[in-house]
């Protein structure tokens, strides 16, 4: 037992020695972003390499707030991301449940179409989607246009289909024998069993909505209703770029997401692992 424990300890030390430099390389750009957010605009392009924070973060944030109402943009981003995540998880879960547990005509065709949509570049559907939402439905500059068009997530549907397919059929058959309705089986049995996968999907969808830039930029042209990434983009002008404000805003958008991921990484990893193995 001692030799086995010693071998495991050596492997653990070797693994940490290998992964620690990789982690530092990954974290270095984030650290430099924090450093740049504390420097004035002219200090970011100084010839020397600055590795320690300065004291201009408050000034940079005040300039950012003055130019963009960034706090209001963050509130809009939070509301849009939370609403999108809840609705998209519900929609993709129902679609995944239907594809995993029901047999119907054309099921294989539907799955093939969903798989095919994953291979399509987003630019292919962007312009038709914009024309349909803005011109045909007259929904430009509305929250509906920000939230509804991206709701159906093909990857989420396939992820939840795989998750529900892993569950034992006997459990649901026993519930049906007891007279439990289908919607109660889905809500009170299937969804609790899929909790790790749902947590992973929530993180993925929330981050996708939080970082979405192109669609909110196209569909929303009102300065007072911009999401946070779009508000940051307005600081890049033709003659002036507020780098300090951009870095301060990027820190405010990045740090909370890192904290959420660190706190929920156990559920995220468990959900991904459970959804990847059948």
């Amino acid at each position: 037992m001692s030799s086995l424990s010693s071998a495991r300890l050596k492997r653990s030390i070797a693994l940490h020695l290998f992964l620690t430099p990789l982690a530092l390389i990954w974290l270095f750009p984030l650290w430099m972003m924090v450093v740049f957010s504390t420097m004035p605009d002219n200090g970011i392009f100084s010839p020397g390499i600055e590795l320690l924070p300065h004291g201009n973060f408050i000034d940079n944030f005040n300039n950012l707030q003055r130019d963009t109402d960034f706090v209001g943009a963050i509130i809009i981003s939070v509301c849009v991301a939370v609403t999108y995540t809840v609705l998209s998880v519900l929609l993709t879960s129902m679609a995944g449940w239907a594809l995993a547990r029901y047999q119907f005509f054309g099921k294989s065709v539907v799955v093939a179409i969903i798989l095919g949509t994953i291979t399509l570049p987003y630019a292919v559907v962007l312009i038709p989607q914009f024309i349909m939402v803005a011109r045909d439905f007259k929904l430009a500059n509305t929250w509906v246009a920000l939230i509804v068009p991206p709701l159906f997530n093909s990857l989420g549907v396939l992820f939840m289909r795989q998750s529900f397919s892993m569950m034992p059929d006997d459990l649901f058959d026993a519930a049906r024998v007891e007279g439990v309705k289908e919607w109660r089986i889905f809500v009170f049995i299937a969804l609790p069993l899929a909790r790790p996968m749902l947590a992973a999907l929530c993180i993925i969808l929330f981050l996708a909505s939080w970082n979405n830039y192109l669609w909110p930029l196209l569909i929303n042209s009102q300065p007072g209703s911009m999401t946070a990434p779009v508000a940051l983009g307005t600081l890049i002008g033709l003659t002036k770029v507020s780098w300090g404000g951009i870095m301060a805003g990027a820190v405010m958008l990045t740090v909370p997401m890192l904290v959420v991921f660190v706190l929920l990484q156990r559920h995220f990893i468990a959900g991904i692992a459970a959804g990847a193995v059948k």
Side-chain angles (χ1 to χ4, degrees), residues 8 30 55 64 97 105 150 172 179 222 224 250 277:
R8 289 180 177 176
L30 298 178
L64 173 66
W97 172 256
F105 178 77
F172 305 118
Q222 296 180 353
V277 179

Side-chain angles (χ1 to χ4, degrees), residues 75-125:
I75 294 175
I76 293 174
S77 288
V78 170
C79 295
V80 170
V82 170
T83 306
Y84 166 79
T85 301
V86 172
L87 295 179
S88 186
V89 167
L90 180 62
L91 180 64
T92 54
S93 297
M94 291 190 296
W97 172 256
L99 292 175
R101 291 296 168 180
Y102 298 138
Q103 298 297 327
F104 53 89
F105 178 77
K107 176 180 175 180
S108 58
V109 177
V110 173
V111 174
I113 292 174
I114 295 175
L115 281 171
T117 58
I118 297 178
T119 64
L120 288 176
Y122 183 58
V124 174
V125 299

